[in-house]
Each structure stands twice: as C-alpha cells, then as structure tokens.
Amino acid sequence: MDNSDEQQHLLHGDNAVNYAGIEDVEKGDATTTTSPIGPTELPPNFQSGAVPMVTCRVCQAMINISLKREQHVVKCDQCNEATPIRNAPPGKKYVRCPCNCLLICKSSSQRIACPRPNCKRIINLAPSPVTPPVPSMPGMCRITCGHCAGSFLFNTLHNALARCPHCQKVSSVGSEFARGRGNVFFIVGLVFLGIAIGVTAGTYSYASSHGGMYVAYIGAFLISLFLFARSVYFCTLKTSTIDGPM
C-alpha cells in the first residue's frame, strides 16, 4: 500500500498525521489483539454555538472541525493523536494501537504493525462483530449534510428537503431538486408580475374612483415578490450528497 496516497486522502496540510504503510506482517517486538473501529464508535458532532466540535477519542478534548469537515480524520491539538470523524474509505478500516496511534489498513488485513519507532507492536485484528442484516426500505439512503458534513438516513421518495439531525439545518438532497424548484418559482413569479403590471395598467383609471383596486394591485405585486424570494431561497440552498443506500 502506498503510504503517501493514504495520507493524502485522510488529512491535509498542517493536520497531517504520520501513517505508515500497513501490510500483513509475520514478526515484531510485541503482539496485541484489538478490534477495528466501527462506524458506531465514531464521535458524534456537537454544536458549540455555530462551531461544530467532536470529542478526541484519546484525551476527550474538544476538536474544532469547522474547517475540516471533508477530512476523514482530525488531529487533536492537546495530545497530537488522530480521531476519525467519517467512515474509513471503501476497502479500508481504522485500528487504534494501544499506544494510541490511529492506523488505517485494508479491510481484509488480520495482522498489522504499528509504525511508531517506540512501539512496533504486531496487532492481531479481532473479527468484526456480525450484525444481522437490516431490511432495506425503498428510497432510504445515507446522506452527508451540506452544512455540517454529518451523516444521517433520509427517504428520498417521500421527502423534498432534508433536515439534518445534527445541525438542524435544511438542505436539498441533490442539486436537481433545488434548481428545479427555484426555476418553477421564478417562472410563476414572472407570470404574477406580468399579471400585476397588466391589471394595473388596464384598470388604473377605474381604480381612481374605486379604492379597493389598489388592494388588488398591492396583493398581486406582493405575491410575485414572495415567489421571487422563494426562487432565490431554493437557488442558494445548500446541497447534501447521497453516500449510498442504507
């Protein structure tokens, strides 16, 4: 496995963590057995005001992930250890060495070596617990929130907009829905604006003696303004992505 490629997909810039190339091995200084880190063991996102935070899995310090939502792993400023915030890339799995070094290896690996010079343990990976299959539901998919990058389940058949259970913000699942709704509201807004202008121009002389017509004018223009505002709302709505079926 190419170690440089592994690091590039997980962490970037100053947050890079030293990941070694993890391969099945036959010998080492010490041997231990541990279990891979599953999706249910990832730390949940917490909101501190408008700042998304996660808890370090080593020292329990809070880590700001507002600029790191697209990363798989973040580095703690307190203990300098890594904590995963997203599921491992396809075909990979996370493992935490007893020395607290976070490793990533192939899903099929059963025996790996810690790359730290002061550790060099040989880690036997315990088999992942077998979970009963979950009955599939039509349209149910796993979604990554466009606001906080949190993951949640969403039914794409019965819901138009998705509300994230982590940040409570609304987003569009896929860009097509928001763009289509924005175009519809814009066209209908143009129709109402044209009707308002036509009625105003055609009945202006009649309205001078019938004050109630001004109410109709104002109502027509307000409706067109509301429709344009909804068009802008849908066109600027954040988009959430579909990771895959449940």
Side-chain angles (χ1 to χ4, degrees):
M1 181 184 304
D2 190 346
N3 179 41
S4 61
D5 292 342
E6 197 71 64
Q7 293 185 51
Q8 185 176 4
H9 285 84
L10 297 179
L11 295 172
H12 307 280
D14 296 335
N15 295 309
V17 174
N18 183 23
Y19 285 87
I22 308 299
E23 299 289 349
D24 291 347
V25 296
E26 296 297 335
K27 61 181 180 178
D29 299 329
T31 303
T32 186
T33 300
T34 187
S35 299
I37 299 174
T40 58
E41 300 176 83
L42 299 184
N45 288 349
F46 297 97
Q47 297 292 323
S48 177
V51 180
M53 311 282 284
V54 296
T55 303
C56 174
R57 284 312 204 197
V58 177
C59 68
Q60 309 307 312
M62 299 303 293
I63 307 174
N64 183 349
I65 61 169
S66 56
L67 300 179
K68 308 170 186 176
R69 295 175 178 174
E70 299 303 320
Q71 297 179 185
H72 286 75
V73 174
V74 293
K75 185 178 179 182
C76 177
D77 294 330
Q78 300 293 326
C79 64
N80 290 323
E81 298 292 353
T83 292
I85 59 174
R86 301 180 66 182
N87 293 340
K92 313 291 183 188
K93 59 185 174 182
Y94 298 120
V95 179
R96 178 79 69 182
C97 179
C99 72
N100 290 326
C101 180
L102 182 68
L103 312 175
I104 183 168
C105 63
K106 298 176 182 178
S107 298
S108 59
S109 296
Q110 298 179 352
R111 188 175 169 91
I112 61 175
C114 177
R116 286 185 172 173
N118 60 346
C119 180
K120 295 295 184 180
R121 280 184 175 88
I122 301 304
I123 304 172
N124 294 315
L125 300 181
S128 302
V130 178
T131 56
V134 179
S136 59
M137 296 179 62
M140 190 65 71
C141 296
R142 185 168 294 278
I143 306 298
T144 298
C145 177
H147 295 279
C148 68
S151 182
F152 61 97
L153 293 178
F154 177 77
N155 194 326
T156 56
L157 298 180
H158 302 131
N159 299 287
L161 297 178
R163 182 177 294 276
C164 176
H166 305 292
C167 64
Q168 301 301 318
K169 294 181 179 179
V170 175
S171 60
S172 170
V173 179
S175 58
E176 291 79 8
F177 173 81
R179 187 184 304 113
R181 281 294 179 90
N183 292 337
V184 169
F185 277 108
F186 181 76
I187 294 173
V188 177
L190 286 177
V191 171
F192 270 87
L193 180 62
I195 292 174
I197 294 175
V199 171
T200 301
T203 61
Y204 186 76
S205 58
Y206 176 79
S208 59
S209 58
H210 297 80
M213 291 298 297
Y214 292 108
V215 178
Y217 299 159
I218 295 174
F221 282 108
L222 286 178
I223 291 175
S224 63
L225 182 61
F226 169 77
L227 293 172
F228 285 133
R230 293 296 292 174
S231 175
V232 172
Y233 169 76
F234 279 102
C235 289
T236 57
L237 193 64
K238 285 278 190 177
T239 301
S240 295
T241 56
I242 299 177
D243 292 338
M246 180 180 64

